[in-house]
Amino acid sequence: MTSIALIVEGPGDAIAFPTLVAKTGRLFDMDIYVKRPIIAGDFRKLSGSGIIERYVSLASEHSDVESVLVAIDLDDLCVLDVQNAFRDRITGAANTKGKLGRLCFCVREYEAWLIHSIEEWFPENSINRTSLDSYQTEPESIRGAKEALTEILGKKYKPTVHQNDYTKKMNLKELFRKSRSYRKFCKEITQLDYEAMRIYLSDK
């Protein structure tokens, strides 16, 4: 069993990400366990001097953890800017504790991943088709994916109530096909390269 410590942005993420990690592991026939996630806030909070290092060091204290994964929403930020700001800081802090440090993003928001495969897990007759069609072409371009989900589903989306429940229903093979940022998440979780993952899933 592989054990990962997670650092996430908010309370809904802390509930949903362990489910997503475990499901992703099963997608590739891996047994991956997540320690209770640490809620650390968004990029702007974590970018302060010494802050991300403190959270990574705290997450690394578990003796049975092999790696620390920081998983945050990218919002309106540039992938390269955030990678350049964080990657060396995360890996350095983790390495001092003998762990691997990893970084991945939900491009814009976690909820964009839910929208990608919404027709796979939500009854079609309950979906606002007009709203879905306007968002689904490229969900990861949406700023305000939580609000988009509320519009598509016709009911108020609340991360701490719905995020984990919807994550349990997601079709991850379909999400892998559609979402570049989810493929990157899979790469960080499994440590497989993209070609190996594609070949593995093509045989399932």
Side-chain angles (χ1 to χ4, degrees):
M1 176 184 290
T2 300
S3 183
I4 296 174
L6 267 179
I7 297 171
V8 299
E9 185 170 320
D13 300 319
I15 302 169
F17 262 110
T19 298
L20 183 62
V21 170
K23 282 189 65 172
T24 299
R26 290 195 296 272
L27 187 65
F28 296 95
D29 294 324
M30 295 180 178
D31 192 8
I32 304 175
Y33 172 74
V34 177
K35 289 289 185 182
R36 176 183 247 175
I38 296 172
I39 299 172
D42 63 11
F43 170 80
R44 290 169 180 81
K45 177 183 176 182
L46 293 174
S47 61
S49 177
I51 294 177
I52 188 64
E53 290 86 352
R54 185 165 69 247
Y55 280 111
V56 172
S57 294
L58 178 62
S60 300
E61 292 296 329
H62 299 286
S63 60
D64 58 341
V65 161
E66 299 171 17
S67 61
V68 177
L69 175 66
V70 179
I72 56 176
D73 290 349
L74 199 59
D75 296 327
D76 295 319
L77 301 168
C78 168
V79 172
L80 289 178
D81 287 347
V82 179
Q83 284 181 338
N84 292 337
F86 273 172
R87 188 169 297 282
D88 288 347
R89 294 173 63 186
I90 291 169
T91 56
N95 287 346
T96 61
K97 301 287 188 177
K99 313 293 184 183
L100 296 174
R102 306 176 188 171
L103 172 66
C104 72
F105 315 109
C106 306
V107 173
R108 300 303 171 252
E109 299 176 68
Y110 185 106
E111 286 73 18
W113 289 348
L114 297 175
I115 293 172
H116 262 302
S117 61
I118 194 168
E119 291 169 295
E120 303 285 337
W121 55 264
F122 202 82
E124 187 170 357
N125 61 2
S126 300
I127 292 174
N128 182 328
R129 171 54 60 181
T130 302
S131 295
L132 178 60
D133 289 346
S134 68
Y135 290 121
Q136 201 173 38
T137 301
E138 187 44 70
E140 291 176 73
S141 68
I142 300 170
R143 183 67 179 97
K146 294 178 178 64
E147 293 77 11
L149 261 182
T150 291
E151 186 178 329
I152 291 166
L153 300 179
K155 64 180 182 179
K156 179 68 175 176
Y157 170 78
K158 299 178 181 179
T160 54
V161 176
H162 300 119
Q163 189 172 345
N164 188 47
D165 183 41
Y166 294 168
T167 297
K168 291 176 181 177
K169 299 173 182 177
M170 289 167 70
N171 182 330
L172 296 188
K173 189 173 181 180
E174 183 68 8
L175 181 60
F176 183 92
R177 184 182 70 82
K178 291 180 176 179
S179 171
R180 181 179 179 182
S181 67
Y182 177 68
R183 291 193 292 272
K184 175 66 164 59
F185 177 80
C186 292
K187 183 174 182 288
E188 295 296 336
I189 291 295
T190 66
Q191 293 296 283
L192 298 171
D193 63 37
Y194 292 117
E195 186 61 22
M197 289 190 292
R198 287 190 181 94
I199 291 172
Y200 191 91
L201 292 182
S202 69
D203 291 337
K204 295 193 75 172

